Amino acid sequence: MLNIKKNFGYLFIFFYLLSPTSLTADTSEIKEILQLIQKDLRTLERAVYSESFSQSSNSNSNNSVKESEDVLTRHLLKLSEIEKQFQQLTNKYEEINFKIDKLNSRLSKVQADNQLRFQQLETSNVGIDSSSLTKLPTDTTNDKEKILPGSTQPQDLGTVSYKDMTNESESQSVQSIDATKTVVTETFQSEEKILPDGTPENQYEFATSFLKVGDYNMAERAFKEFVDTNPEHKLSGNAQYWYAETFRIRQLYTDAASAYLEGYQKYPKSEKAPINLLKLGVSLVQIGEKDQGCLMISGVKKQYPGATQSVLQKAKYEEKKFECKQNNS
């Protein structure tokens, strides 16, 4: 409708200018007439726009409501995602604090253990029977430093005197053996058993509890005692694997490789046998035996094709990581 009115106005101006009266009119009058026509056109345009706006506002009210609801829904979803991310960050922060607390507790345990060992060494040195050492023969003819029996330098057969072959030398040798036996008996200390009385399953669970709290020294002792006590049990292969893991976690790769090798030889059909062979290969590579380690890693798929997919994928990853294929070729 607005376009029709504009066109009508333009035609009116055109015919008016072509009329003979317009040709004789003054230019100032023509300008005034054009200004009046422009004002009328603006008034018409405002009226048309107001009517179109009133009609479109009623038709678009429902659409605007729907759009506002969609926007609100998107904002709510975004807020829920932010809330989940914040919760994950909070969980990570709490996990890091927990690990720091575990490290502090482990350090305090190590310090206490070292202090206890130093005290035991001091008490063991004090506990040696000094009376057995005083009975040893000494050279009273001069003021030289006392020399324990058997610590002198070797002599030629021709230099041995008759005095050294008398009964006194025999008694001297017997006393030396007794004194050495006394020293060994005093310094030897056997570790106490830490596994509780009960079924092997309960003992295995007890040993596993040390791993959960991060006490790998006690876990090492517990799993070793379990394997020695129950060598034929179905859980012995698992216990041997976790025994080796206590060394690997502490970066004692030589001890870990030895323990993994013992588990591979004694328990080749246990539940942990595939991962045990894989960790054996990794430990060998880490101690410098790359060729042997790569053979063990690549042998996981050959010896245990029915292993879990995670173990097989881990073996493939370790092959690429250590470049085993290039090295073997």
Side-chain angles (χ1 to χ4, degrees):
M1 183 177 181
L2 178 62
N3 294 327
I4 295 172
K5 291 180 179 180
K6 285 183 178 180
N7 294 328
F8 178 76
Y10 293 150
L11 289 173
F12 176 77
I13 294 170
F14 179 75
F15 287 113
Y16 180 79
L17 292 175
L18 292 179
S19 64
T21 57
S22 64
L23 295 174
T24 59
D26 190 62
T27 57
S28 61
E29 293 180 355
I30 294 173
K31 290 181 180 180
E32 291 177 358
I33 292 170
L34 288 174
Q35 291 177 357
L36 291 173
I37 293 172
Q38 288 178 354
K39 289 182 181 180
D40 294 337
L41 289 174
R42 291 176 181 174
T43 304
L44 289 173
E45 287 176 357
R46 290 175 182 174
V48 171
Y49 283 134
S50 62
E51 290 176 0
S52 63
F53 178 77
S54 61
Q55 292 175 0
S56 62
S57 61
N58 294 327
S59 62
N60 294 330
S61 60
N62 296 327
N63 295 330
S64 63
V65 171
K66 292 181 179 179
E67 290 178 356
S68 62
E69 290 178 354
D70 294 336
V71 171
L72 181 60
T73 303
R74 288 196 297 268
H75 284 299
L76 290 175
L77 292 174
K78 189 66 177 178
L79 287 174
S80 63
E81 291 177 358
I82 294 172
E83 185 178 1
K84 289 180 180 179
Q85 293 177 358
F86 182 78
Q87 187 175 4
Q88 291 176 357
L89 291 174
T90 304
N91 294 334
K92 290 182 179 179
Y93 177 76
E94 292 177 354
E95 183 179 359
I96 291 171
N97 286 334
F98 177 72
K99 290 182 178 179
I100 291 173
D101 293 337
K102 286 172 63 178
L103 288 175
N104 291 330
S105 62
R106 286 177 59 188
L107 286 175
S108 61
K109 288 180 181 179
V110 169
Q111 290 176 355
D113 184 68
N114 291 334
Q115 185 176 2
L116 180 61
R117 291 177 184 274
F118 286 135
Q119 291 178 357
Q120 289 177 352
L121 288 174
E122 292 176 358
T123 54
S124 63
N125 291 331
V126 175
I128 296 175
D129 188 8
S130 59
S131 61
S132 61
L133 296 177
T134 56
K135 294 180 181 179
L136 297 175
T138 57
D139 189 5
T140 57
T141 58
N142 51 19
D143 295 334
K144 294 182 180 180
E145 185 179 359
K146 295 180 180 180
I147 301 175
L148 294 177
S151 62
T152 57
Q153 296 295 328
Q155 298 178 358
D156 297 333
L157 181 60
T159 60
V160 180
S161 62
Y162 175 78
K163 182 179 179 180
D164 296 332
M165 299 176 63
T166 57
N167 293 332
E168 294 179 358
S169 63
E170 294 179 359
S171 61
Q172 179 178 345
S173 300
V174 173
Q175 291 174 359
S176 300
I177 294 172
D178 293 338
T180 306
K181 184 178 179 180
T182 303
V183 174
V184 173
T185 304
E186 290 290 335
T187 56
F188 177 75
Q189 293 180 355
S190 61
E191 293 183 350
E192 297 180 357
K193 293 184 178 181
I194 60 176
L195 292 180
D197 296 333
T199 61
E201 287 78 9
N202 293 335
Q203 293 178 348
Y204 180 82
E205 186 68 24
F206 179 79
T208 308
S209 64
F210 291 111
L211 287 178
K212 295 179 181 179
V213 299
D215 193 353
Y216 301 112
N217 293 324
M218 295 297 293
E220 172 193 348
R221 292 178 54 189
F223 284 117
K224 181 62 176 175
E225 182 180 342
F226 181 89
V227 174
D228 293 340
T229 307
N230 308 288
E232 302 297 331
H233 196 268
K234 61 181 181 180
L235 294 174
S236 296
N238 294 6
Q240 180 68 31
Y241 168 77
W242 291 118
Y243 171 68
E245 281 287 283
T246 60
F247 295 111
R248 185 190 63 83
I249 294 172
R250 291 175 291 175
Q251 298 182 356
L252 303 174
Y253 298 117
T254 303
D255 295 333
S258 178
Y260 285 130
L261 179 60
E262 185 177 357
Y264 172 68
Q265 293 174 347
K266 289 185 177 180
Y267 309 102
K269 296 183 180 180
S270 66
E271 180 183 357
K272 296 290 184 180
I275 188 66
N276 183 85
L277 181 59
L278 175 61
K279 294 292 183 68
L280 173 59
V282 174
S283 300
L284 289 174
V285 174
Q286 288 172 338
I287 63 176
E289 299 292 337
K290 186 174 182 180
D291 294 336
Q292 295 295 328
C294 287
L295 288 175
M296 295 296 178
I297 294 172
S298 60
V300 174
K301 186 176 181 180
K302 297 178 182 178
Q303 296 189 22
Y304 302 102
T308 59
Q309 195 66 25
S310 60
V311 175
L312 297 177
Q313 290 179 354
K314 180 68 174 176
K316 186 182 297 184
Y317 168 76
E318 296 295 344
E319 282 184 350
K320 294 181 180 179
K321 178 181 176 182
F322 298 121
E323 299 179 355
C324 290
K325 293 182 179 179
Q326 293 84 344
N327 185 62
N328 292 332
S329 61

